[in-house]
Amino acid sequence: PPLLRPTTTKPPAPPTAPAPLTAPAAPAAPAAPAAPAAPAAPAAGPPPPPKQVVCPPPPVAATVSHAGAGGLLAALRSKQATATATPSHYLPATLGRTNLYVCGYGAYGRLAQGDEKSSSSMIEAKCGEPDGLVFQHVAIGSAHTLAIAQGKVYTWGKCHFGQLGHGNEDVDEHFPRLLEFPKQEHVDNSTIAIEFTCAGESTSYALTKAGDVFSWGCGYYGALGHGDERSHFAPLLVPTLAPSITGQPRIHKIAAGAFHVLATTRTGQLLVFGRNTHGQLGLNDLLARRSPTPVTSFEGARVTAIAAGENHSLAATEDGGLYSCGDNEAGQTGLAGLSEGSTTVCTFQRVEFHRSAVCLAAGQKNQPLR
């Protein structure tokens, strides 16, 4: 049967503040009936989400990552990136401070203010921990956020496929909420320490210091890597990426596009799974993969850096080579030698780039390099 395609509903307009109350006026003398007023113009639809904003890189002690479909801006305050958070004495006792600053569209509580108001200026994200939180890493999906504080994951924002991981399919969170890992086979919950997170459109991933990968959210196209297309509303271990189960080298890095994932091992092997409608898996076809699948397009070179855009992928090798594949509608693969009208690249091809790429990032139809 054909695969279900996820649909994106247009977010509601941010609520407007009520008009200020005024004292009632003295009653006026009756007047002649006025002519009927002209019908009011129809209300404008909800404003579209703001365009993506590229920020300066955060300090070394803290990192920010995002999927290309997002429209949310986040930055970590450098002076608190490695310090201990201090609760604010003037905030309510039920709220705590963080070192995370946000701005943009506030629907679904994605700005962590306890409401859905938007903000055109940077504001501090709040949390429900009275002692505050210091985040070392932040990852942003299309409308949800994952952040790491002292090896623990907090999530908030939109939840329509369980991507927040709290056991509910569609309950949004307006403040950072601690993610709990359910008991499952081959997992010692007492030793789980999260090192890195990434987020797709409606998916979430966490990489532990032991090299295990957990995924949750929308399972369309096999984007969670569990061998099927089931969605999961709480973190679930990806067994084929668990070194304790497979005996293979541990996972070193992971990157998420809208519905596809790249992962590298300590030995530099690249594994991919999920949606492949534009050849973004680099496997020379357009077939989705429901389980991690190795890529052999780099002539034996170790892959040292990866990035996933909405529907395209990037990889850098130890010799400084830069490779890309997937959707090329706006030239985002950087493969200038493609024939005119080529919009799909099904294998990783080397980009003409006279530098050594060491850090990659990808957006919806663009890619910054360092």
Side-chain angles (χ1 to χ4, degrees), residues 139-166:
I140 302 172
S142 62
H144 72 291
T145 303
L146 298 85
I148 300 175
Q150 305 303 320
K152 298 180 179 180
V153 179
Y154 293 79
T155 67
W156 67 94
K158 185 176 183 178
C159 186
H160 61 156
F161 282 102
Q163 63 262 48
L164 297 187
H166 300 300

Side-chain angles (χ1 to χ4, degrees), residues 229-318:
E229 297 196 0
R230 293 175 56 194
S231 297
H232 294 277
F233 308 148
L236 184 64
L237 178 70
V238 181
T240 52
L241 294 179
S244 61
I245 299 175
T246 64
Q248 299 298 315
R250 56 161 288 188
I251 298 301
H252 179 49
K253 295 180 179 179
I254 186 169
F259 285 96
H260 75 287
V261 175
L262 313 178
T264 59
T265 67
R266 284 286 185 184
T267 57
Q269 182 183 34
L270 176 63
L271 304 169
V272 297
F273 56 92
R275 184 164 69 180
N276 195 31
T277 52
H278 294 79
Q280 59 263 50
L281 299 186
L283 298 173
N284 201 27
D285 58 39
L286 299 177
L287 302 176
R289 299 298 196 279
R290 298 186 180 98
S291 298
T293 304
V295 178
T296 58
S297 302
F298 305 102
E299 301 177 352
R302 295 176 64 250
V303 175
T304 56
I306 52 176
E310 182 182 24
N311 288 307
H312 70 289
S313 304
L314 304 174
T317 54
E318 59 185 345

Side-chain angles (χ1 to χ4, degrees), residues 13 40 54 113 119 130 143 175-176 179 205 218 234 245 248 251 281 310 320 338 354 362 370:
V54 178
Q113 301 298 309
S119 175
F175 287 113
L179 183 65
Y205 308 86
C218 181
I245 299 175
Q248 299 298 315
I251 298 301
L281 299 186
E310 182 182 24
L338 294 178
H354 304 292
R370 178 169 66 85

Side-chain angles (χ1 to χ4, degrees), residues 73-159:
L73 172 69
L76 291 167
R77 185 165 55 192
S78 59
K79 67 180 181 180
Q80 289 192 1
T82 58
T84 301
T86 302
S88 173
H89 64 279
Y90 57 83
L91 288 177
T94 55
L95 289 182
R97 302 193 63 178
T98 73
N99 62 329
L100 177 65
Y101 282 77
V102 296
C103 69
Y105 198 45
Y108 312 109
R110 68 183 85 181
L111 297 188
Q113 301 298 309
D115 54 31
E116 299 193 10
K117 295 180 181 178
S118 300
S119 175
S120 59
S121 59
M122 301 297 287
I123 53 178
E124 181 184 304
K126 301 299 188 293
C127 69
E129 303 288 340
D131 293 333
L133 290 171
V134 176
F135 296 122
Q136 290 83 39
H137 171 80
V138 178
I140 302 172
S142 62
H144 72 291
T145 303
L146 298 85
I148 300 175
Q150 305 303 320
K152 298 180 179 180
V153 179
Y154 293 79
T155 67
W156 67 94
K158 185 176 183 178
C159 186

